[in-house]
Amino acid sequence: MATSTNQNTKMETVSQETDDGFIPRKTKSRKRKLPKEQTDDQQSMETAESAPKRPVFPPISGDKLTGGKTELRKIAVPANRYTPLKDNWMKIFTPIVEHLHLQVRFNLKSRNVEIKTCKETKEIGALQKAADFVRAFTLGFDVDDSLALVRLDDLYLESFQVQDVKPLKGDHLARAIGRLAGKNGKTKFTIENVTKTRIVLADSKIHILGSFQNIKVARTAICNLILGSPPSKVYGNLRTVAARSSERF
């Protein structure tokens, strides 16, 4: 009797466990295990087929890119920049010839600075850099400030007129230019120092030298002054912009 009761209890427990589903069914995996060497070979073959090797070419020189032809750029020099150009000619001549490996001369008849490539020219963008450097000097920037265009890649020049922002004439135009300059150039220097740019006010023309983002900030400040905003409000806006830029970096 004891054996029969034990068997009954075992059967009850087995039936309960199967009904509740707590005992999972054991199944043997029929996959054939490959040795590690074969799996590594297959993975290497897959990666080799999926990612083909990139071709490696040597850097091409500027002379070969132009096909051996010389390129020439002419930059017109206004009359008010003849004397500064004559005084600072060696500072302009040295970086163009020694660092950029270009040929440069000042044509007395046409009053142009002519820049030409030669066999020693290696950089493709050397001619454009030299042209921007000379053009920045002719617009009124200092030689040292203009030289940054040769040394750095992310610097640009932007020029616009006061009339592009607001059509002003006579005394209204003169007052707008006075607001841009400020007393003893205080407003212009403040915008330059905050935005890390260089600004030239040539009559009604405005030239800005700097990076793209800094030019944008300086241009908005100048446009606000032209439209009639008081300098104190523009200073406040510049202060907030300077705080944001300092937080970023």
Side-chain angles (χ1 to χ4, degrees):
M1 290 292 288
T3 55
S4 63
T5 54
N6 289 331
Q7 288 178 358
N8 292 329
T9 53
K10 285 181 181 179
M11 288 292 288
E12 287 176 359
T13 54
V14 169
S15 63
Q16 286 177 0
E17 288 175 354
T18 52
D19 292 337
D20 295 335
F22 288 110
I23 298 175
R25 187 180 177 184
K26 293 181 180 180
T27 56
K28 292 182 180 180
S29 60
R30 295 180 181 179
K31 290 183 180 179
R32 186 181 176 188
K33 292 183 179 180
L34 296 173
K36 291 183 178 180
E37 295 179 358
Q38 291 183 4
T39 55
D40 294 338
D41 293 337
Q42 285 182 356
Q43 288 179 358
S44 62
M45 287 290 288
E46 287 176 0
T47 53
E49 289 176 359
S50 61
K53 290 184 179 179
R54 291 184 179 180
V56 179
F57 299 107
I60 189 168
S61 62
D63 188 21
K64 290 181 180 178
L65 188 68
T66 55
K69 297 178 182 179
T70 57
E71 294 184 4
L72 181 68
R73 293 285 178 89
K74 294 181 180 180
I75 299 98
V77 181
N80 64 325
R81 299 299 289 173
Y82 290 157
T83 305
L85 183 71
K86 187 178 179 181
D87 296 338
N88 299 298
W89 178 250
M90 287 308 297
K91 290 182 180 179
I92 297 169
F93 175 85
T94 305
I96 292 174
V97 175
E98 292 184 359
H99 297 289
L100 297 177
H101 304 286
L102 297 168
Q103 295 177 355
V104 61
R105 71 172 184 178
F106 180 64
N107 195 335
L108 293 171
K109 290 183 180 179
S110 61
R111 301 283 186 174
N112 290 332
V113 175
E114 298 177 356
I115 306 169
K116 190 172 71 171
T117 58
C118 58
K119 293 181 180 179
E120 286 78 16
T121 306
K122 296 179 181 178
E123 288 187 29
I124 298 168
L127 188 64
Q128 184 63 43
K129 283 184 179 180
D132 291 340
F133 168 48
V134 177
R135 183 169 171 269
F137 180 77
T138 56
L139 290 175
F141 291 98
D142 194 16
V143 182
D144 297 329
D145 296 335
S146 303
L147 193 60
L149 287 165
V150 177
R151 293 177 178 173
L152 301 173
D153 292 331
D154 58 343
L155 290 183
Y156 304 96
L157 272 171
E158 183 165 344
S159 301
F160 62 95
Q161 292 187 357
V162 177
Q163 287 86 353
D164 297 338
V165 182
K166 190 177 183 180
L168 299 171
K169 292 181 181 179
D171 294 337
H172 299 288
L173 179 61
R175 280 194 292 271
I177 295 169
R179 281 199 303 273
L180 293 177
K183 188 178 180 181
N184 297 323
K186 180 185 173 184
T187 306
K188 183 175 82 78
F189 291 143
T190 304
I191 296 172
E192 284 181 345
N193 292 331
V194 172
T195 59
K196 297 178 183 178
T197 56
R198 289 291 177 267
I199 300 169
V200 169
L201 301 175
D203 195 17
S204 63
K205 292 182 180 179
I206 301 160
H207 310 290
I208 308 173
L209 171 66
S211 64
F212 179 78
Q213 196 67 29
N214 294 341
I215 286 174
K216 184 181 177 182
V217 176
R219 188 177 64 236
T220 53
I222 290 169
C223 291
N224 289 334
L225 287 169
I226 292 170
L227 291 170
S229 296
S232 59
K233 188 175 181 181
V234 175
Y235 290 159
N237 294 334
L238 287 174
R239 198 177 292 114
T240 55
V241 170
R244 285 178 190 172
S245 62
S246 63
E247 286 176 2
R248 276 182 203 167
F249 300 108

